[in-house]
Amino acid sequence: MDPIIKGENLEIVYNLGKSNEYRALRSVSAEIFPEEYIILFGPSGCGKSTLLYCFLGTLPNTYGKLLVKGEDPYTYDAEQLVQFQQRTMGIIYQAFYLIPSLSVLDNVALPLIFAGVSKLDREKRAFGLLKRFGVEKQAYKLPASLSGGQQQRIAVSRALVNDPEILLADEPVGNLDSISTKHVMDMLDDINKKEKKTIILVTHDAKYLPYAHRVFYMKDGGLEREVPNPEKPQIKAVEPGKTIVTEIETLARMYPYSSVDELRVKSIINFLTQSLNFDQLERLEKTVEMVMMGNIDELNFQKILNMRVDEGGIGLRLPEARKMTEKLHNILEQSFDVKRYRKGVTSEGLRPEFDVFIRRLRTDLLDQFEGQVVPIQLTRLEKAISDRVSGLIKKEDFQTYIGASISNGGAGFPARTARNFTLYLEKLIAQGTRI
Ligand code: ADP
Ligand code: MG
């Protein structure tokens, strides 16, 4: 399969040669395949929009090589560029950019004028799209009289009116309330699934990540990582030899942000923290797996822990076996929450229960904290949990944020508590992705 977009060492410099010269893209290489849903994700200012407009062919001072459907838009003159954009890409923006003096129908039909389509056909096609997205009643109104959600649906119709294969979206729900957000996100999902259009969506909000096949994590103008969404069947085949065989690779899936060294340390710690020998560990792993697969219940788990080694058990004393069973019970219970949270958006769009999961995780963490907390600490703790569970921030960022003082924008917990919360949450995240 050939990529529909292929960028090699893309660099973009704003204000070239001036005192405020700025390199907004640094040697970005990426391949996007037909029918993929890609999210460009990262903090504000990291270059997401720049990369998106780079794909569109509109940015001056672009270096490197870009091919979109085999064409290099940067070799085109102005007129060729417009034609190229019309046949390959539609785009929607956070601020909609509808033309205020034109009716909704004319806004949607406008790109077809440039494509030389007759008036009757233009209106037919535009009306069909408005109908499909449930805004046909608004066809003869002016954009300003509509809600934000309706305006964005109209902007999506306009982007699709030329039937391009690629749809670009720059923070398309950034200005919308939660109900319109869900509507628009589900529309885009549908366009990807049914019409098989390639979607490239820019967002800084982690809760949309589950919609993507792959997430491109950006930082300081660079593409840091490309992470396949484990919950979605992949369009880009996993390369041979890249299937998961080692423990490090398994861990790497769970902790997409960690370096190889960090993963090695993790796997050694996993090993060292157990006072069990190799055989016992192996058996323990199998037994835990059986519980997670639902093949044995917790009572039987405890029995196997307590059984003598020469009888096939793990050889723990009863109090130890009880304690471990209880721990397993708690971790499984809570890690289901993490998994539900991550899955939530995939099939049914955004769900209000997200907040409930986050609140439960927050309660689980706070139950281990002896001191008193104030409301702002609750809010910040929940925000940090939500960001970490959805992969927006790294483990270290989570710990720093939890431990930073309230006046410095943190959640204001003691360093030791921050560390304990972090370790505990990481355990849940690891379990959540694995079950
Ligand atoms: P993001 O979409 O991730 O928030 P952008 O791609 O918009 O980031 O911007 C990346 C960086 O480039 C930012 O530091 C921004 O200030 C700078 N930048 C963006 N557009 C321009 C421009 N037209 N002129 C100069 N600097 C720009
Ligand atoms: Mg942007």
Side-chain angles (χ1 to χ4, degrees):
M1 185 174 31
D2 289 331
I4 191 162
I5 296 181
K6 185 179 165 78
E8 257 173 60
N9 301 315
L10 295 171
E11 302 243 350
I12 289 202
V13 180
Y14 290 118
N15 305 321
L16 184 67
K18 299 186 187 165
S19 60
N20 59 350
E21 179 174 306
Y22 188 77
R23 248 173 88 204
L25 275 195
R26 295 160 190 273
S27 196
V28 169
S29 295
E31 292 188 338
I32 292 169
F33 292 85
E35 303 185 12
E36 271 197 307
Y37 191 144
I38 299 287
I39 286 185
L40 308 181
F41 176 67
S44 169
C46 69
K48 305 179 295 291
S49 299
T50 300
L51 183 57
L52 196 76
Y53 300 121
C54 172
F55 291 150
L56 193 62
T58 48
L59 291 178
N61 299 309
T62 297
Y63 306 98
K65 181 117 192 84
L66 176 70
L67 284 180
V68 179
K69 295 185 72 186
E71 299 178 65
D72 178 356
Y74 289 99
T75 60
Y76 291 157
D77 64 29
E79 192 179 328
Q80 290 171 319
L81 182 61
V82 170
Q83 283 172 6
F84 159 81
Q85 288 168 345
Q86 271 176 14
R87 64 175 176 270
T88 51
M89 280 179 276
I91 181 160
I92 57 173
Y93 307 89
Q94 178 169 355
F96 325 130
Y97 294 132
L98 298 170
I99 299 175
S101 57
L102 291 184
S103 74
V104 162
L105 190 67
D106 287 343
N107 261 285
V108 176
L110 193 62
L112 293 175
I113 295 186
F114 302 117
V117 177
S118 78
K119 185 167 172 11
L120 190 70
D121 287 345
R122 289 200 301 264
E123 295 194 342
K124 231 164 118 182
R125 167 112 183 109
F127 199 81
L129 282 161
L130 291 176
K131 196 158 177 192
R132 166 164 180 205
F133 298 126
V135 277
E136 77 274 20
K137 286 206 184 97
Q138 278 68 37
Y140 300 102
K141 295 182 184 159
L142 291 178
S145 64
L146 309 179
S147 73
Q150 288 172 326
Q151 291 192 53
Q152 194 59 294
R153 282 189 256 166
I154 287 148
V156 174
S157 310
R158 179 184 57 187
L160 292 180
V161 80
N162 272 318
D163 200 25
E165 262 175 75
I166 304 168
L167 181 60
L168 307 178
D170 192 357
E171 308 263 9
V173 293
N175 277 348
L176 303 182
D177 60 79
S178 61
I179 291 175
S180 307
T181 291
K182 178 174 160 31
H183 205 121
V184 169
M185 288 306 291
D186 288 347
M187 256 168 82
L188 297 178
D189 197 43
D190 207 53
I191 291 164
N192 174 250
K193 286 203 180 102
K194 294 214 182 99
E195 270 111 328
K196 307 285 181 198
K197 305 234 180 261
T198 307
I199 293 190
I200 307 172
L201 179 133
V202 164
T203 183
H204 66 275
D205 193 335
K207 64 175 173 291
Y208 307 123
L209 300 187
Y211 280 107
H213 290 107
R214 292 191 295 146
V215 178
F216 289 7
Y217 289 82
M218 296 191 64
K219 192 182 163 193
D220 302 332
L223 178 54
E224 290 254 299
R225 254 167 212 281
E226 296 171 19
V227 181
N229 177 355
E231 307 287 353
K232 269 196 153 185
Q234 290 297 305
I235 288 178
K236 182 190 177 225
V238 179
E239 290 162 39
K242 287 233 167 146
T243 44
I244 296 177
V245 281
T246 68
E247 188 189 350
I248 295 275
E249 282 166 333
T250 312
L251 283 169
R253 263 213 165 182
M254 297 176 192
Y255 302 95
Y257 286 108
S258 302
S259 67
V260 175
D261 283 343
E262 203 181 324
L263 293 172
R264 290 214 174 92
V265 172
K266 261 192 215 301
S267 86
I268 292 166
I269 298 286
N270 274 353
F271 180 67
L272 289 182
T273 47
Q274 318 277 344
S275 59
L276 307 174
N277 68 32
F278 224 68
D279 281 354
Q280 285 174 306
L281 265 184
E282 233 182 332
R283 278 189 203 169
L284 181 61
E285 250 183 57
K286 288 221 175 76
T287 319
V288 170
E289 202 179 339
M290 280 160 68
V291 178
M292 295 197 338
M293 306 287 280
N295 293 339
I296 57 170
D297 62 19
E298 284 166 16
L299 198 66
N300 278 312
F301 175 73
Q302 185 179 312
K303 272 192 192 148
I304 295 173
L305 293 185
N306 186 223
M307 220 188 287
R308 281 173 31 193
V309 173
D310 57 9
E311 286 171 352
I314 318 279
L316 299 184
R317 287 176 304 125
L318 190 58
E320 278 180 298
R322 276 204 185 119
K323 221 168 158 183
M324 197 177 276
T325 307
E326 198 185 303
K327 265 193 192 158
L328 177 83
H329 173 86
N330 288 337
I331 286 196
L332 286 183
E333 188 84 336
Q334 294 146 8
S335 54
F336 275 128
D337 279 354
V338 175
K339 186 164 190 222
R340 276 187 218 118
Y341 181 87
R342 289 190 159 187
K343 259 199 162 160
V345 186
T346 321
S347 47
E348 292 141 59
L350 296 171
R351 292 203 312 237
E353 302 99 280
F354 277 6
D355 298 341
V356 180
F357 297 148
I358 296 302
R359 225 167 294 140
R360 270 172 59 173
L361 288 172
R362 180 258 283 161
T363 312
D364 289 329
L365 289 180
L366 279 184
D367 281 349
Q368 305 167 39
F369 178 61
E370 313 258 285
Q372 293 298 314
V373 295
V374 295
I376 191 160
Q377 288 184 288
L378 285 190
T379 324
R380 293 196 174 163
L381 178 58
E382 282 178 14
K383 165 101 176 71
I385 293 170
S386 165
D387 285 354
R388 179 57 197 138
V389 167
S390 26
L392 175 62
I393 56 173
K394 294 186 205 178
K395 173 184 157 189
E396 291 79 359
D397 302 334
F398 177 85
Q399 187 171 334
T400 309
Y401 180 76
I402 296 298
S405 69
I406 295 177
S407 57
N408 281 332
F413 288 92
R416 214 187 139 77
T417 309
R419 198 179 117 77
N420 289 340
F421 281 5
T422 308
L423 289 178
Y424 195 75
L425 190 64
E426 289 310 297
K427 233 190 248 172
L428 299 182
I429 290 173
Q431 294 288 342
T433 43
R434 236 185 149 176
I435 296 167

